[in-house]
Amino acid sequence: MADLRRAAGVAALAGATTLAWARVEAEAFTVRHVRVPVLPRGADPLRVLHVSDLHLTPSQHRKIAWVRSLAELEPDLVVDTGDNFAHVDALEPLMVALGPLTAFPGVFVMGSNDYFSPRAKNPARYLLPSSRRPQTSVTREPDLPTEAFARRLTDAGWLDLGNARAHLAVGGLDVGFVGLDDPHIDRDRMPAADAAATGDGPDLRLGVVHAPYVRALDALTGDGADAIIAGHTHGGQLCVPGLGALVTNCDLDRGRASGLHGWPGPRPDEFGGHASSWLHVSNGAGTSPYTPFRLACRPSATLLTLVAR
Ligand SMILES: [Fe+2]
């Protein structure tokens, strides 16, 4: 009996310690560096800062200061893959956080958390397969200032890629973008083909989407994207060391929950990967305020250095 009690005590202590650590780790903001050989031969490197899933509330002053500090990386381009909000009053704090980054060319798409403020959910729901998880977002009206946020970003010079195409001259290259609104809440619609396209097309084609659902990745690859940039998964958020992500919160496989991979097959630089696009999935910088925990999955932004193939 005493042994049982001691074992239960040890298990409870281990659980409490893990939870306390996961709370600390949720604020251990990190910059990841990833090299992507995707540019035409002879092109100079292009530095792309990928920010995603800030899930910002007005009281998160450390996160705001960290996002502001990312401007010191002096990227050639910023890509924001959505889920910026975690509070109805986060618009001004978001503009404070992102303000220094808008000094650089940028593009963005929205995630479900740019339309709907977060609600407390049963944490056990997180471990259900996405097909069995209730989609609460679509049953209520959007309550976040999505349009005002998009206007503030576009006024600052960033391009809104919600179901849209765009072009930018970045670092001497013609970069063509195709973006999708969030597949997680069925807002993704592939934009019409580029009527103005001539010749060989842009030097680089980037696909941008919040949630990396299979249908969205297939659509972007089918559209000719050289690389796809996405967020949403939080990299699994609670990972098991040595095992990785347990969930992706969408129908993407767990093996590609975060980091650089190929889509649909191996990485383009691996044997057999010539038919694939690059896929970068950010593990994100935030969490829902109702589950402020991360385990073996530090919050991050990524500096993607695009180099010649
Ligand atoms: Fe998110």
Side-chain angles (χ1 to χ4, degrees):
M1 195 62 185
D3 283 354
L4 250 182
R5 229 178 285 139
R6 195 176 309 127
V10 168
L13 184 65
T17 306
T18 304
L19 205 63
W21 172 250
R23 184 77 192 87
V24 170
E25 193 176 303
E27 297 200 12
F29 304 113
T30 310
V31 177
R32 295 171 196 271
H33 295 263
V34 173
R35 204 176 134 89
V36 192
V38 68
L39 298 184
R41 284 178 212 282
D44 289 332
L46 210 64
R47 289 151 47 85
V48 179
L49 178 65
H50 181 191
V51 294
S52 197
D53 296 84
L54 297 181
H55 291 277
L56 193 70
T57 69
S59 62
Q60 291 174 335
H61 303 292
R62 278 197 60 228
K63 191 192 285 178
I64 291 169
W66 174 73
V67 175
R68 287 179 64 83
S69 76
L70 296 173
E72 292 163 18
L73 296 168
E74 299 193 345
D76 298 302
L77 173 73
V78 182
V79 178
D80 180 336
T81 49
D83 269 12
N84 296 276
F85 286 80
H87 194 283
V88 287
D89 295 328
L91 175 57
E92 294 308 326
L94 271 169
M95 294 316 299
V96 171
L98 294 172
L101 293 180
T102 61
F104 307 98
V107 297
F108 64 95
V109 290
M110 299 297 183
S112 58
N113 286 278
D114 298 305
Y115 295 100
F116 300 95
S117 61
R119 296 249 171 112
K121 291 167 189 155
N122 178 357
R125 169 189 178 278
Y126 181 75
L127 293 173
L128 286 174
S130 60
S131 56
R132 291 180 51 204
R133 212 172 295 150
Q135 290 270 324
T136 49
S137 307
V138 294
T139 60
R140 59 185 172 117
E141 287 298 309
D143 60 344
L144 292 177
T146 317
E147 273 182 35
F149 180 53
R151 205 176 323 117
R152 294 283 288 273
L153 293 178
T154 52
D155 284 352
W158 283 11
L159 302 176
D160 185 345
L161 292 181
N163 298 331
R165 295 179 189 276
H167 275 262
L168 263 184
V170 189
L173 294 178
D174 173 22
V175 184
F177 297 92
V178 56
L180 293 173
D181 203 346
D182 191 6
H184 192 55
I185 47 174
D186 292 324
R187 294 183 70 103
D188 52 313
R189 308 283 181 270
M190 199 65 187
D194 190 350
T198 54
D200 296 336
D203 299 312
L204 173 70
R205 296 168 195 262
L206 291 181
V208 183
V209 65
H210 174 66
Y213 278 82
V214 168
R215 68 171 188 276
L217 301 180
D218 282 347
L220 295 170
T221 303
D223 194 65
D226 298 304
I228 301 169
I229 299 178
H232 174 74
T233 63
H234 297 192
Q237 195 168 319
L238 300 172
C239 295
V240 178
L243 202 66
L246 301 178
V247 290
T248 62
N249 198 19
C250 63
D251 61 1
L252 181 68
D253 56 282
R254 293 184 295 112
R256 287 181 272 200
S258 69
L260 187 67
H261 299 277
W263 185 268
R267 293 163 49 129
D269 62 346
E270 287 175 350
F271 179 74
H274 51 272
S276 295
S277 305
W278 287 100
L279 169 65
H280 184 259
V281 181
S282 169
N283 77 338
T287 68
S288 162
Y290 297 106
T291 49
F293 305 103
R294 279 179 176 263
L295 203 57
C297 185
R298 294 188 172 199
S300 74
T302 308
L303 188 68
L304 299 162
T305 302
L306 311 189
V307 298
R309 282 189 277 262

